[in-house]
């Protein structure tokens, strides 16, 4: 007579969760595979409380990868930086241009001029919301918003950019998914009244997911810039910074709805600067100079004439492989900074590398080097059970990840 073998007792849910919490957070495929074992395991790793405990245990969220705008069928839109294979179904680069990523959300601008809109996407849940750009930027904006300044002028404007942020009061950003968010939209306009005279206006407006509307534009004279080449950084809860292709740094105060502009530490070669945050969360810039990477910090004075201080010099020839430093004057540049993880992305002739600024640990991401801007995705990854997604921040926003309209 054959002996019957009883199944071993199931592990308590609390113990399963404790085990999952100790899986490497920078290897999201581990949790993904675990979630596919059973419904109970899927529930254990998908809840908001589990995400909060991940933050409490590990502190700094990992860099999952980067988004980019370089069109090449051989390069996926989302490039993973994890050791094991991991992918996210990012919006197609033919239809959407990646602009920003922060607080668990990425932001895109449509590439089609006749249907210009913004797309907010939660990489870890797949949820999406579409937002119309401010009416002042559309075809009727000369008469509606700016034509009163120079009624006889010809108008031109640069490609806009935008930034996304969590707008929940007092949020610690440990579980922003599905919550309220805001978007800042920035663009510059030139007014040409004659061949000898030209005036400029830079404009910024804020969208609230809670009201589903744009606020009034904030205008500033005497600055004209294309802010699409470098992603923004957020200092504290209210100061957003953008850098133009001419090296000017634009500050937008979310609390006071004010614009200000100032220069990089020096303007000899502004293309070698990139925005970043200092170790204490203030505004900084990196400067790529062979064989050095210089890190600058701006004093907190609340004034546009505040000074820059050189805070650190990193010697790249001691970190990067020799193959990456061939002809470095033309090809070693910082193309992205990961907020919350203190990691920079450097492009070289040998490919794309990350440098952890705290430890100076270097990791090669890929052999590709045809990029102009990189937008890091920083987040703890927790799988979403099939058929589930987070609710919209507002009842009248865009579409969810299944394409259903939100009525």
């Amino acid at each position: 007579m054959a002996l019957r073998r009883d199944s071993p007792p199931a592990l308590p849910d609390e113990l399963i969760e404790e085990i999952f919490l100790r899986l490497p957070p920078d290897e999201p495929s581990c949790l993904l595979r675990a979630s596919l074992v059973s419904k109970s395991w899927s529930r254990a790793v998908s809840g908001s409380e589990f995400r909060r405990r991940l933050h409490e245990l590990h502190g700094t969220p990992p860099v999952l990868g980067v988004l980019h705008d370089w069109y090449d069928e051989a390069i996926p839109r989302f490039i993973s930086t994890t050791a094991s294979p991991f992918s996210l179904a990012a919006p197609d680069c033919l239809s959407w241009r990646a602009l920003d990523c922060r607080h668990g959300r990425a932001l895109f601008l449509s590439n089609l001029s006749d249907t210009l809109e913004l797309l907010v996407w939660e990489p870890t849940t797949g949820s999406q919301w579409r937002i119309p750009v401010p009416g002042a930027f559309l075809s009727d904006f000369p008469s509606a918003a700016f034509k009163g300044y120079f009624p006889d002028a010809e108008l031109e404007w640069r490609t806009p950019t935008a930034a996304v942020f969590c707008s929940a009061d007092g949020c610690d950003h440990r579980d922003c998914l599905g919550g309220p968010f805001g978007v800042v939209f920035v663009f510059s306009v030139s007014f040409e009244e004659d061949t000898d005279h030209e005036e400029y206006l830079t404009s910024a407006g804020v969208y609230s997911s809670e009201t589903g509307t744009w606020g009034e534009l904030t205008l500033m004279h005497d600055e004209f810039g294309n802010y699409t080449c470098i992603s923004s950084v957020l200092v504290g809860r209210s100061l957003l910074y953008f850098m133009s292709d001419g090296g000017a740094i634009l500050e937008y105060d979310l609390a006071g709805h004010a614009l200000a502009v100032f220069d990089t530490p020096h303007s000899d070669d502004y293309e070698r600067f990139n925005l970043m945050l200092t170790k204490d969360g203030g505004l900084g810039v990196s400067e790529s100079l062979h064989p050095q990477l210089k890190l600058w910090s701006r004093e907190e004075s609340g004034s546009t004439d505040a000074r820059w201080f050189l805070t650190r010099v990193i010697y790249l020839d001691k970190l990067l492989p020799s193959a990456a430093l061939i002809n470095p004057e033309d090809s070693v540049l910082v193309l992205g900074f990961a907020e919350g993880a203190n990691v920079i992305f450097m492009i070289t002739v040998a490919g794309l590398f990350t440098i952890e600024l705290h430890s100076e640990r270097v990791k090669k991401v890929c052999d590709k080097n045809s990029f102009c801007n990189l937008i890091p995705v920083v987040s703890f990854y927790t799988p979403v059970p099939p058929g589930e997604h987070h609710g919209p921040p507002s009842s009248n926003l865009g579409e969810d990840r299944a394409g259903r309209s939100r009525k």
Side-chain angles (χ1 to χ4, degrees), residues 265 295-299 307-312:
L295 305 184
W296 297 82
S297 175
R298 194 166 186 267
E299 67 178 356
R307 293 180 297 170
W308 289 97
F309 292 93
L310 181 63
T311 58
R312 186 177 173 187

Side-chain angles (χ1 to χ4, degrees), residues 61-89:
V63 181
L64 300 181
V66 288
L67 297 163
H68 66 92
D69 291 320
W70 189 262
Y71 178 66
D72 186 332
E73 293 182 353
I75 307 176
R77 183 63 182 281
F78 171 80
I79 300 175
S80 172
T81 56
T82 61
S84 56
F86 178 73
S87 64
L88 292 171

Side-chain angles (χ1 to χ4, degrees), residues 64-68 77-79 86-92 96 98-109 118-131 164 177-178 181 183 375-377 379 381 393 399-402:
L64 300 181
V66 288
L67 297 163
H68 66 92
R77 183 63 182 281
F78 171 80
I79 300 175
F86 178 73
S87 64
L88 292 171
D92 177 49
W96 300 98
L99 300 177
D100 196 33
C101 189
R102 182 177 295 106
H103 301 158
R105 304 173 182 89
L107 182 66
F108 301 80
L109 179 67
L118 295 159
L119 174 69
V120 177
W121 172 61
E122 288 182 349
T124 58
T125 68
S127 295
Q128 298 182 2
W129 299 272
R130 297 192 179 194
I131 303 168
V164 64
L177 302 181
F181 60 83
V183 173
I375 301 168
V377 177
S379 177
Y381 174 79
E399 299 177 348
D400 63 20
R401 61 177 177 168

Side-chain angles (χ1 to χ4, degrees), residues 150-224:
F150 310 100
D152 299 323
E154 295 294 328
L155 290 88
E156 297 181 358
W157 59 95
R158 294 284 184 98
T159 304
T161 192
V164 64
F165 60 94
C166 169
S167 60
D169 291 338
C171 182
D172 58 9
H173 308 309
R174 294 185 173 184
D175 186 25
C176 297
L177 302 181
F181 60 83
V183 173
V184 173
F185 189 82
V186 175
F187 62 99
S188 292
V189 181
S190 70
F191 298 81
E192 297 182 2
E193 294 191 287
D194 52 55
T195 57
D196 299 325
H197 183 68
E198 191 170 28
E199 295 283 347
Y200 310 116
L201 284 176
T202 292
S203 308
V206 181
Y207 176 88
S208 168
S209 70
E210 295 177 282
T211 64
T213 59
W214 289 94
E216 294 185 6
L217 288 179
T218 300
L219 307 179
M220 181 186 66
H221 282 272
D222 301 325
E223 178 57 31
F224 188 33

